[in-house]
Each structure stands twice: as structure tokens, then as C-alpha cells.
Amino acid sequence: MGISQYDPAAKGRPAWNAGKQVGAKRALNVKQIWLIRFFLDREVRMRDRALFDLAIDSKLGGCDLVKMKIGSLVSGPTIRTRSMVIQQKTGRPVQFEITADTRASLLAWLERRGGSIEDYAFPSRVDREGHLSTRQYARLVDEWVSAIGLRPEEYGTHSLRRTKAALIYKATGNLRAIQILLGHTKIENTVRYLGVDIDDALTLAETTEI
């Protein structure tokens, strides 16, 4: 049971978020993406490189990413250029691209991993029939960002979900496209998720000639 901040017993207790980073996790920039890739390649972490690349391209939340099955990523002996997932949170389908770098890292990992199209692409260390847990995925992200000198308090699994969407938005200003790519039901959710603020809106307005 929790207590109200107005209760006398709460006096002197530290706030629940004392010392914690609160708010949306920061997206990665292009340089940081490649630094993490270099780190994973140097450490010969094939699974992590494939997982990281797929997280960036798919723009999926952790619960959907870790449940990806091999069959949704491959077509015969090759990696698909596009895939689709039914999001757990919304029940809505979302499609995503699989770029050349991601296809290469996925192919290298899946050839090493083996398995059938019904198996999870990223199996659990404890139960090979199961998938990597969201908690372990979060730990991996903390490790990756720490390895390149970033503060894990400021980055997390949602950083990877937001990264490509944020880059596309900065390049195009097209919120509707980002809404579709993220599988959001409302444009307002996309605005909040990207952290679009008044400065962004004014910048877009100033570059629009009528």
C-alpha cells in the first residue's frame, strides 16, 4: 500500500522519483547508432547487433520486438525487405522496413542461431523454447548505451523505438507518416511520443511558403 504525499507519515520521505530521470527517453542520433554498432561488432556480439538493428528499423516496443519469430523475418533463404507485426498494446498491424545493414546482421545471426520459422528470433537464455525477456532486453540496452559513454538513465528501450521515427520527422516534418510507422491510433499520441513542441511547430510553419 502506498501513502499520500499529504499524509503526515510522508513528511521527510524522499520523492519516488528522487535521483531518477523522469520523462521520455532520448532518441539516439546517427553517430551514436554507429558507435553502438562498432562496439557490438568489435565484441563479436552477433545476436545483439541483429537485435539492435532490428529495434531501430522496426520501431517496435520491447514486448513486440522480443516476440518476433524467424518466419516473420525470412522468406526462403533470404531476409525480408518488409515485415508486419500485430502490436500487443493496440492489436493493430504495423509494417516496417528491413534495411540492408539490418538484413545482413539478421542473416548472420539467424545462420548462427539455426532453428525453424516457428522459433523466436531471439531465444531466452533460460528456456530455448521461449523468447528473450523484455527485462533482459532493457538490460542489454543499458549496456550498449553505457559502452559508448551515454547515461543509461537518459536512454532505454523506447529510445530505440523513437530513434528512426525522430530522424524521419526531423527530415520530413510528416507526423502522419510517423503515426503510421509507430502504429499509433491518434496523432496526438505521436506528437507526445516524439516530444514535438512549439519550436518544432513554428520551424515547420516558417519553412512553409503560401
Side-chain angles (χ1 to χ4, degrees), residues 51 54 58 60-73 84-89 96 117-124 129-134 137:
L51 179 62
L54 185 61
S58 70
L60 291 173
C63 60
D64 294 316
L65 179 68
V66 298
K67 292 179 182 176
M68 291 286 291
K69 291 193 173 182
I70 293 175
S72 62
L73 298 172
M84 185 180 74
V85 168
I86 304 297
Q87 293 189 116
Q88 178 177 300
K89 185 175 181 180
F96 59 89
I117 60 173
E118 293 300 321
D119 291 329
Y120 292 110
F122 306 102
S124 165
E129 300 299 316
H131 58 75
L132 184 77
S133 70
T134 52
Y137 172 47

Side-chain angles (χ1 to χ4, degrees), residues 37 53-54 56-59 79-82 96-106 164:
R37 284 174 171 165
D53 286 347
L54 185 61
I56 296 293
D57 268 0
S58 70
K59 301 166 286 290
I79 303 296
R80 299 175 184 268
T81 57
R82 291 184 179 179
F96 59 89
E97 73 290 352
I98 306 178
T99 57
D101 282 330
T102 303
R103 293 198 300 272
S105 61
L106 277 171
K164 197 164 188 178

